[in-house]
Amino acid sequence: LKKKVAISIGDPNGVGLQLILENHTKVCEVCDPIYFVNQNILQQAATLLNIHIPNNINLFETIGEFEIKPGEVCKDAGLYSYNSFLDAINYVKENKADAITTLPINKESWSKANIHYVGHTDMLRDVFQEDAIMMLGCEKMYVSLFTEHMPLSKVTSSLSLEKLEKFLLDLKKSLPNVNEKIAVLGLNPHAGDNGVLGNEEEIIIQAILNANKKLGKQIFEGPLVPDIAFTPRVRSQYKYFVAMYHDQGLAPLKALYFDEGINVSLNLPILRTSVDHGTAFDIAYKNINQLSNLSYLNAINYCI
Amino acid sequence: LKKKVAISIGDPNGVGLQLILENHTKVCEVCDPIYFVNQNILQQAATLLNIHIPNNINLFETIGEFEIKPGEVCKDAGLYSYNSFLDAINYVKENKADAITTLPINKESWSKANIHYVGHTDMLRDVFQEDAIMMLGCEKMYVSLFTEHMPLSKVTSSLSLEKLEKFLLDLKKSLPNVNEKIAVLGLNPHAGDNGVLGNEEEIIIQAILNANKKLGKQIFEGPLVPDIAFTPRVRSQYKYFVAMYHDQGLAPLKALYFDEGINVSLNLPILRTSVDHGTAFDIAYKNINQLSNLSYLNAINYCI
């Protein structure tokens, strides 16, 4: 039996519905998808895109009625993408599907609809009241983020032994099938260079020691020198990396594997994966045949 | 007439002398090199490496007498690499050569010899009393660093309008032949996301405006979202990038172009380039035929 994947459509004014319609056949090869969109909205998109709606499509008819406005920031579309995601969450919570794959929402549209989450992960944290872990990457390399969406000035003070140790243990618990070493990056240039460029690496060393001790295994290694961690030689040694902050991990990841990347929410009662691109308003409904689908298909494949 | 390049040998216990001996013929094809090492030290290396010293080699006999100890941190070697660099600087200052290319020194060995510079660039700053700019990269992409070797916790408070504006103007002055746009990165994740994730981007925007106004030209663009700045699409638009801090620029650069990278010191009365790797003590004098020479040859080529 194929796994069932709940797919929230993201912002209807963006590229989500085109990705769904163009890739339905491929998606059906690996899972049994259910899309969180009603017939009317889907038909509007199909008409705009001049693509037939496949016969075998399975919909959860998320309520909402409005006109799709290609590429526009819009309250109605924002609210609808929120409801599509919320319906998908509840569906998976009730064990009617195995995992969620989300298509991109527009944060400004959410804001216009008075939804004040920074994004999907933030909403999941609130719904489940758990410390979700954000992991991005692809088959070749995954980066999980110890801190995420915060000003750079707050990063250093957010690092504590207790928090990092918990993060490492939560991460390992969320990756039960991963038995290889996981690389933990330093915080400072040259990983502090023995304290000359910062001493927060002492906290990182201790957190690694504590986590490994509790796991009874040398799972975590580090702290790695951040600007060396993603060179070819080091990448050949590790597939999983822990970055201390957003751009430390994501700038190298996206430099290397932009098109293929996905976003995985770990440490939650449900599994959620996502494409690692935005709504692409600039190309939505613009008669582009076959959007790049690597990220979308990888996101679904991770669920399987 | 070929340009004359002064080559300081770096730490004699590291891979510098092997690179010099193995690549002398190639180097002579593009420039007229002079190596800052005396006959005795060079002969020791040649014997250890079992490589003949080329007949046409031109030496500036930096004073010093000691035994090469492959791969060891050592006071004598540290002092010698310092003197080799100092002689090269003076030589270029006296207009006897056009530029310096440096081979890697060992910071611990410098420290043992009571030389307290963090590295070559730091020493150049002191010698010339100028705000040297560190730029790293290769033909495909160069990254200059607004802040360099400092703890991450100090980065945000180091950013000021006055300093960044001066940095941008100094950088442009140092790259007189560059007429293309130069990308300036934001400081915060998502370049602050309109202030939600930090507001230092306002300073960056103003610095770019001021610099462009003084230059009478739209040279600088930004602030770019840091984790998008090095994706293939953006790299196709820019060759020169300004990073706000060390790992923001160097982690993506080294992920992409580790072997080819060089380090250039700009905004000084002399031009200095360097390989972008260390002394490689682990492989020094270990019978490895033909070390990777891409970075060394690129460093010399940049001088031409």
Side-chain angles (χ1 to χ4, degrees), chain A residues 186-202 205 223-227, chain B residues 106-108 117-119 148-151 246-247:
Chain A
L187 177 81
N188 294 298
H190 305 187
D193 223 341
N194 295 315
V196 182
L197 302 177
N199 52 21
E200 289 80 9
E201 278 69 20
E202 289 171 23
I205 291 167
L224 268 66
V225 171
D227 70 333
Chain B
N106 183 286
K107 208 189 323 177
E108 261 183 278
Y117 295 119
V118 181
E148 296 166 14
H149 294 107
M150 61 165 63
H246 190 276
D247 293 335

Side-chain angles (χ1 to χ4, degrees), chain A residues 107 149-153 156 187-190 193 197-198 226-227 230-231 235 245-247 251-252 254-256 258, chain B residues 107 149-153 156 187-190 193 197-198 226-227 230-231 235 245-247 250-252 254-256 258:
Chain A
K107 208 188 325 177
H149 294 107
M150 62 166 62
L152 190 75
S153 61
T156 304
L187 177 81
N188 294 298
H190 305 187
D193 223 341
L197 302 177
D227 70 333
F230 302 107
T231 55
R235 276 187 278 130
Y245 57 95
H246 190 275
D247 293 334
K254 295 183 180 181
L256 293 165
F258 187 60
Chain B
K107 208 189 323 177
H149 294 107
M150 61 165 63
L152 190 75
S153 61
T156 304
L187 177 81
N188 294 297
H190 304 187
D193 223 343
L197 302 177
D227 69 333
F230 301 107
T231 56
R235 275 187 280 130
Y245 57 94
H246 190 276
D247 293 335
L250 300 193
K254 294 184 180 181
L256 292 165
F258 188 59

Side-chain angles (χ1 to χ4, degrees), chain A residues 82-155:
Chain A
Y82 170 82
N83 284 328
S84 172
F85 185 39
L86 192 59
D87 284 346
I89 292 174
N90 288 324
Y91 197 80
V92 178
K93 260 170 87 174
E94 293 162 15
N95 288 314
K96 294 181 186 160
D98 298 286
I100 302 182
T101 293
T102 60
L103 286 157
I105 60 106
N106 182 287
K107 208 188 325 177
E108 261 184 278
S109 300
W110 272 26
S111 175
K112 284 207 169 177
N114 278 313
I115 300 155
H116 295 299
Y117 296 120
V118 181
H120 288 108
T121 314
D122 196 35
M123 178 167 157
L124 287 167
R125 251 182 214 120
D126 190 46
V127 168
F128 292 106
Q129 292 291 308
E130 293 274 359
D131 293 332
I133 292 177
M134 234 174 121
M135 184 174 84
L136 294 100
C138 62
E139 261 304 293
K140 291 157 208 145
M141 171 178 149
Y142 287 103
V143 177
S144 56
L145 301 181
F146 172 62
T147 65
E148 296 165 15
H149 294 107
M150 62 166 62
L152 190 75
S153 61
K154 302 254 165 85
V155 169

